[in-house]
Amino acid sequence: MAPRPQTRWGKNRPPERRIWLPLLLLSSLLLAVASLNAVAAFLRRANDLGRRCAPRPAECTAGDVTSPRRRIAIVSFSDESEGGGRRSFRGVRAAVEGNKRAYAEQMGYGYVDARDLVDRSRPPNWSKILAVRSQLPLYDWVFWNDADTVVTNPNTSLESILEAALGHGDFESSPDLVVTEDFNGVNSGLFFVRRSKWSENFLDAWWNQTSFVHFGSTKSGDNAAMKHLINSLSAEELSVHVHIPQMQCLFNSYPWVPSWKSVYRLISSPVVTWQGVYSDGDFMAHLAGLDEKKKWIEMVLVVEPLSNDKAAPNSP
Ligand SMILES: *[C@@H]1O[C@H](CO)[C@@H](O)[C@H](O)[C@H]1NC(C)=O
Ligand SMILES: *[C@@H]1O[C@H](CO)[C@@H](O)[C@H](O)[C@H]1NC(C)=O
Ligand SMILES: *[C@@H]1O[C@H](CO)[C@@H](O)[C@H](O)[C@H]1NC(C)=O
């Protein structure tokens, strides 16, 4: 590399100027950090500022009151044997499980921890398919929850989420898979599966996508496999069986964390960011891709406390 030519800011500049430069850099840095925090605070108020994740209840057609109440289960597992690392899951199960169990109990849903079903021949995230498949015969709807998700507004029922997503509450005419999209397309961290032959077949086909199995990174391939399967459906099959709500924040909100990646995404995909960013009042927060998940869970839960005291058995 050629030596840099000396500029007029070189050795001979007066000493006062040498003080200004670092001060200028420092204040720009502080300004940048302050504006990032301001952006985070702004996005966190998205719902106050008029964003609507779901239509108002009155805009949904009322569910058929004569139909039986649907059996719904929240299915999850947390694999803590994954160990430490920066993207630590340690302690997440303790922080989240009480939250989910209390919510399920309050609403009359099943809660299934499918930890025992983890198939060690693949990265643990793949076993969500086995977990959902195992519960499908027992429930009408299975709601899969990744371990790094928490219920932040326990007053919201899953029925109302489904109804908001589908525009009706009729089980028989419902699609079989309800899943949201983020910057990368569909996100398999949170999704609903309806009990049906199509769903069983879809889950089996998903499990069969062995070419996507990938060890040794945060991307284990299960999400890519789901995306691939959905993309390979015909337009007709897609429209009948899969529903992707427009608003990601209906049940899969991502907290906005000041980082260069978030800033890049905010600038390159402002609409996707707005539709998916976690705001106070949202039903669920998903700490996808965040390090220090336990800290984030505590932060989200502290500001949006659960109405039910039982819901936080792990707090001191
Ligand atoms: C949930 O409902 C309870 C009582 O119905 C109310 O006091 C509380 O503020 C509600 N919480 C949220 C987050 O809406
Ligand atoms: C999945 O693979 C198994 C074993 O190869 C096969 O019997 C089954 O039909 C496949 N299912 C689907 C839905 O692709
Ligand atoms: C499993 O999924 C979670 C949540 O989406 C993700 O943060 C984590 O990195 C995944 N783990 C692996 C091994 O893929």
Side-chain angles (χ1 to χ4, degrees):
M1 279 223 286
R4 281 161 61 124
Q6 204 163 68
T7 66
R8 63 194 183 89
W9 292 98
K11 281 213 232 24
N12 298 327
R13 73 189 132 120
E16 321 82 79
R17 293 228 175 127
R18 279 187 224 157
I19 295 171
W20 280 113
L21 195 63
L23 270 184
L24 191 70
L25 286 176
L26 185 67
S27 48
S28 328
L29 194 70
L30 287 178
L31 194 68
V33 169
S35 17
L36 285 184
N37 286 328
V39 169
F42 174 82
L43 291 172
R44 176 105 185 213
R45 295 185 51 231
N47 293 339
D48 284 344
L49 296 168
R51 184 183 72 171
R52 300 253 305 275
C53 297
R56 292 204 180 88
E59 292 169 29
C60 292
T61 61
D64 180 0
V65 283
T66 60
S67 67
R69 191 163 181 233
R70 292 298 163 186
R71 293 163 302 163
I72 304 182
I74 297 175
V75 179
S76 191
F77 60 70
S78 177
D79 188 69
E80 301 216 37
S81 62
E82 284 285 271
R86 274 206 318 137
R87 187 159 293 184
S88 180
F89 267 84
R90 229 174 306 158
V92 166
R93 174 145 49 89
V96 161
E97 199 177 324
N99 165 275
K100 297 284 174 67
R101 281 196 190 279
Y103 171 71
E105 191 180 318
Q106 167 195 322
M107 291 291 185
Y109 307 139
Y111 177 84
V112 179
D113 182 343
R115 227 178 312 162
D116 298 340
L117 287 178
V118 173
D119 179 329
R120 296 282 157 199
S121 68
R122 299 189 187 191
N125 277 6
W126 277 88
S127 294
K128 66 174 73 172
I129 303 169
L130 304 179
V132 170
R133 184 73 170 86
S134 74
Q135 299 305 312
L136 209 53
L138 309 176
Y139 294 93
D140 296 312
W141 286 101
V142 171
F143 182 36
W144 169 260
N145 283 200
D146 265 8
D148 57 348
T149 60
V150 306
V151 174
T152 43
N153 187 346
N155 288 4
T156 314
S157 70
L158 297 178
E159 289 90 340
S160 73
I161 295 286
L162 283 168
E163 203 164 314
L166 307 178
H168 64 78
D170 178 30
F171 180 78
E172 298 305 333
S173 64
S174 291
D176 299 286
L177 173 65
V178 181
V179 62
T180 57
E181 276 180 341
D182 65 12
F183 310 90
N184 301 314
V186 291
N187 175 263
S188 64
L190 287 161
F191 59 88
F192 291 86
V193 180
R194 189 179 77 112
R195 179 171 47 79
S196 73
K197 269 270 156 268
W198 186 92
S199 299
E200 288 175 7
N201 191 67
F202 180 84
L203 292 169
D204 292 346
W206 186 6
W207 181 256
N208 279 1
Q209 303 298 306
T210 47
S211 63
F212 285 87
V213 174
H214 192 266
F215 282 94
S217 94
T218 56
K219 299 232 184 301
S220 49
D222 55 302
N223 202 133
M226 180 196 238
K227 192 153 71 172
H228 169 77
L229 262 188
I230 289 178
N231 288 343
S232 57
L233 295 177
S234 72
E236 202 215 333
E237 194 171 6
L238 191 69
S239 74
V240 175
H241 296 285
V242 182
H243 182 74
I244 300 177
Q246 195 202 346
M247 298 301 282
Q248 188 195 333
C249 57
L250 188 58
F251 61 87
N252 191 6
S253 305
Y254 295 174
W256 197 85
V257 182
S259 73
W260 296 119
K261 191 175 179 186
S262 316
V263 171
Y264 170 76
R265 281 176 166 170
L266 178 62
I267 293 166
S268 59
S269 322
V271 175
V272 180
T273 301
W274 180 253
Q275 291 177 342
V277 74
Y278 174 76
S279 162
D280 293 327
D282 280 355
F283 172 48
M284 287 191 92
H286 181 186
L287 313 177
L290 296 186
D291 301 327
E292 299 299 334
K293 292 181 191 285
K294 186 155 188 288
K295 190 188 86 191
W296 282 103
I297 282 173
E298 281 161 1
M299 230 170 100
V300 175
L301 286 181
V302 162
V303 181
E304 197 72 33
L306 297 182
S307 54
N308 186 342
D309 282 341
K310 281 180 300 176
N314 298 303
S315 56

